[in-house]
Amino acid sequence: MLRDSSKIIFADNILSSQFLRDYADVEILRHIRPGDIEDVSERYVPLYSAERNSDTVKRVDISGYLSTEPDNPLEMPLYIISLVEHKTKVEYNVIMQMLRYMVHIWEDYEKEMNKLYPGISKRKAFQYPPILPIVYFEGTDQWTACTDLADRISCGALLGKYLPHFRYQLIALHDFSNEELLAKGDEISLAMMINKIQTYEDLSAFTALPEKELEGILRDTPEYLLGTMVNVLRALLYHMNLPEDEVEDAVAKIKERKMGLLFENAKLDIQEERRKVEVERRKAEEARQEKAACQREAQQKVAEIQWERAISLHILRMLRQGASDEEIAQSIMCHFSMNEKQAAEKLAEAFGDMAAEE
């Protein structure tokens, strides 16, 4: 289940603008400001699926950052829709989920424009808004799901240039070190550093960061955004099962803008953390062994089928050559390392199968 902290983060336009500026791989978004962003999640998410209430859809006005205005006689809005999916575990069909989501947004846009300008979508000049799909991954595992739709299509090479390609940008939180995030020096990167904390080791790494640089991030942060950061931290710490007094002591440090002392009095149970790690390690090892056993069993079954087929073909070939039963039995014993009894049984099985076919 997704932590509420991600939903809190992307609900704020300041944090969203910093996220797009710092981490989206699109040059025109490098100068985006909070005022350029409108949250339209309530318009799209409930219509697409009731289970996707943690996804975020932002309408980003980029018209002020283009050197030349496109020919737009109807003054239709020019914006990028940023679709951010939040994941804590690898989901292999996310490429199709996002494609369906994008088509849904385009279809809704088409209906909206046709209401304003009847028949506009049938005109040659009509165009759909660009959508930037992003998967924000907070999990610690390697993201192994494909990022290109073509990789999800069977025998795609047969279609050549007609194979559809669609990619999303993957932003994996744990691909960034604390030092890289700290260097950004803004609230979104601080929130991401907080969200990286999942173990005692993560907590220790955070507390080892330079106190002065951490506190510098919140020096000019408006009060309302401090409240947002408090909610992000509170969601994280309750998720980690810290006692309420320790949670409130930690969030008070944010209110006081003392990030360097954030976890001064937080006491995680180190032995409990290590026990959890060991349990997860054992589960992973058991799963690996079970998978290996299944693979060995499948390979053994395939080998047995191939072995039986080879014996049957050998017997059939000798029968066609006019060999006697005794000659065939001797040949089976020689070629397949069987004793006399085993060879006789295989010969009888072969004759039984042939009789059944007749």
Side-chain angles (χ1 to χ4, degrees):
M1 188 173 68
L2 292 171
R3 290 207 301 255
D4 290 338
S5 53
S6 292
K7 188 175 180 179
I8 295 169
I9 289 171
F10 291 104
D12 185 89
N13 283 351
I14 291 180
L15 296 179
S16 293
S17 64
Q18 292 174 352
F19 180 77
L20 293 174
R21 181 193 70 200
D22 292 351
Y23 302 101
D25 189 22
V26 177
E27 189 60 34
I28 200 170
L29 297 179
R30 298 283 183 243
H31 307 289
I32 289 298
R33 297 165 300 186
D36 301 321
I37 295 178
E38 177 189 1
D39 193 305
V40 291
S41 303
E42 289 189 5
R43 176 183 178 88
Y44 295 111
V45 175
L47 292 174
Y48 179 70
S49 172
E51 299 177 355
R52 308 182 76 84
N53 60 2
S54 61
D55 297 335
T56 303
V57 184
K58 300 286 187 180
R59 183 155 60 183
V60 185
D61 185 357
I62 60 172
S63 58
Y65 302 96
L66 297 177
S67 56
T68 57
E69 291 291 331
D71 183 17
N72 196 6
L74 295 178
E75 298 182 352
M76 294 185 343
L78 180 62
Y79 54 77
I80 285 180
I81 292 178
S82 175
L83 169 61
V84 182
E85 285 223 9
H86 319 134
K87 302 294 183 186
T88 56
K89 62 181 181 179
V90 180
E91 294 188 19
Y92 292 102
N93 209 34
V94 69
I95 190 79
M96 292 301 294
Q97 294 170 0
M98 296 198 79
L99 180 59
R100 286 192 288 265
Y101 211 148
M102 293 167 69
V103 170
H104 168 78
I105 292 173
W106 279 320
E107 287 178 340
D108 184 73
Y109 175 82
E110 178 185 332
K111 291 177 184 177
E112 181 184 21
M113 289 297 104
N114 279 326
K115 284 182 181 178
L116 294 173
Y117 312 102
I120 183 65
S121 64
K122 297 179 180 179
R123 299 188 187 182
K124 181 179 180 180
F126 179 79
Q127 291 184 313
Y128 295 88
I131 298 177
L132 172 62
I134 295 175
V135 171
Y136 174 62
F137 178 51
E138 292 184 344
T140 55
D141 294 334
Q142 183 75 21
W143 183 266
T144 52
C146 63
T147 57
D148 191 323
L149 175 65
D151 295 329
R152 199 68 171 164
I153 307 298
S154 175
C155 302
L158 298 176
L159 299 181
K161 66 180 182 180
Y162 302 108
L163 180 67
H165 286 271
F166 149 65
R167 298 182 66 87
Y168 58 84
Q169 182 183 358
L170 174 67
I171 299 178
L173 175 58
H174 287 267
D175 283 351
F176 299 92
S177 68
N178 281 340
E179 290 71 24
E180 288 174 314
L181 294 171
L182 184 61
K184 300 288 186 182
D186 53 23
E187 289 87 354
I188 183 62
S189 298
L190 176 58
M192 290 168 70
M193 279 188 277
I194 292 173
N195 264 1
K196 281 186 67 178
I197 300 173
Q198 297 184 22
T199 67
Y200 179 81
E201 287 72 20
D202 295 334
L203 181 61
S204 298
F206 183 90
T207 55
L209 293 169
E211 181 179 331
K212 194 172 183 180
E213 292 183 42
L214 281 173
E215 294 184 356
I217 294 175
L218 297 181
R219 185 175 297 118
D220 300 317
T221 300
E223 288 295 328
Y224 97 88
L225 190 52
L226 274 181
T228 299
M229 300 298 289
V230 163
N231 291 335
V232 170
L233 180 62
R234 184 179 280 118
L236 167 74
L237 296 183
Y238 277 122
H239 177 79
M240 296 175 69
N241 296 318
L242 258 70
E244 184 176 354
D245 59 333
E246 292 183 14
V247 171
E248 295 309 315
D249 180 76
V251 299
K253 297 296 192 304
I254 289 186
K255 295 176 182 177
E256 298 168 7
R257 304 175 192 263
K258 295 180 179 179
M259 287 301 300
L261 303 177
L262 188 60
F263 298 111
E264 183 181 35
N265 297 317
K267 301 179 183 66
L268 288 180
D269 188 333
I270 300 177
Q271 294 303 323
E272 176 63 13
E273 285 298 315
R274 289 177 178 171
R275 185 193 68 79
K276 289 179 181 178
V277 170
E278 179 61 20
V279 168
E280 291 302 317
R281 188 195 65 77
R282 283 185 199 157
K283 286 181 180 179
E285 178 61 21
E286 289 172 1
R288 186 193 66 78
Q289 291 179 358
E290 183 178 354
K291 182 179 179 181
C294 290
Q295 289 176 337
R296 287 194 298 271
E297 183 179 351
Q299 291 170 352
Q300 184 176 352
K301 287 182 178 179
V302 170
E304 289 174 357
I305 293 171
Q306 292 175 338
W307 177 259
E308 294 293 337
R309 180 173 175 77
I311 295 173
S312 298
L313 290 175
H314 185 80
I315 293 172
L316 183 60
R317 186 165 51 250
M318 292 196 68
L319 285 172
R320 287 173 177 170
Q321 294 172 355
S324 65
D325 293 356
E326 185 177 336
E327 289 173 332
I328 296 174
Q330 288 295 326
S331 181
I332 294 174
M333 291 167 61
C334 177
H335 284 85
F336 298 96
S337 301
M338 293 183 178
N339 57 38
E340 187 173 344
K341 181 180 179 182
Q342 290 171 329
E345 288 175 352
K346 290 299 177 187
L347 191 58
E349 288 175 9
F351 285 146
D353 291 341
M354 286 186 282
E357 290 177 2
E358 292 177 359

